Amino acid sequence: MATIDLVLDNVRGMLNSTVDIATKVPAGYKLNWFESWWLSLFDGRNELLTFTLIAFTMHEVVYFGRYLPFLLCDYIPAMRKYKIQDNKE
């Protein structure tokens, strides 16, 4: 039972914590635009929830984006001869 309480305390700690960007960047280091934008996603937000949203967004982009080449091929007349089901639009 003590291990469950320990795990729950760690999860509560992760969910209640926020990130301070100033502690993540070494002194004197100049961020480029991408690094600045990336760190701004975490500024004052929960790191665990932010990574979860980023992972979900990336998953959806890849999942639906992999269909785009096939969708484009449906509208190219030269590609219609490779269509498996000719009677479907």
Side-chain angles (χ1 to χ4, degrees), residues 10-68:
N10 286 336
V11 169
R12 284 186 199 106
M14 285 189 296
L15 291 175
N16 292 330
S17 66
T18 58
V19 176
D20 182 22
I21 291 179
T23 62
K24 300 287 184 184
V25 180
Y29 182 73
K30 176 90 169 95
L31 298 173
N32 62 30
W33 69 270
F34 182 76
E35 291 170 332
S36 177
W37 172 77
W38 179 260
L39 288 176
S40 72
L41 292 174
F42 299 94
D43 191 20
R45 294 183 177 95
N46 184 317
E47 200 169 16
L48 177 67
L49 295 177
T50 305
F51 271 124
T52 302
L53 289 174
I54 291 169
F56 176 75
T57 303
M58 185 64 192
H59 170 267
E60 294 301 310
V61 166
V62 170
Y63 183 80
F64 291 110
R66 67 184 177 159
Y67 174 67
L68 290 177

Side-chain angles (χ1 to χ4, degrees), residues 67-83:
Y67 174 67
L68 290 177
F70 301 102
L71 180 67
L72 293 174
C73 286
D74 280 343
Y75 293 100
I76 299 173
M79 299 298 280
R80 293 198 182 170
K81 64 182 174 182
Y82 299 109
K83 201 165 188 173

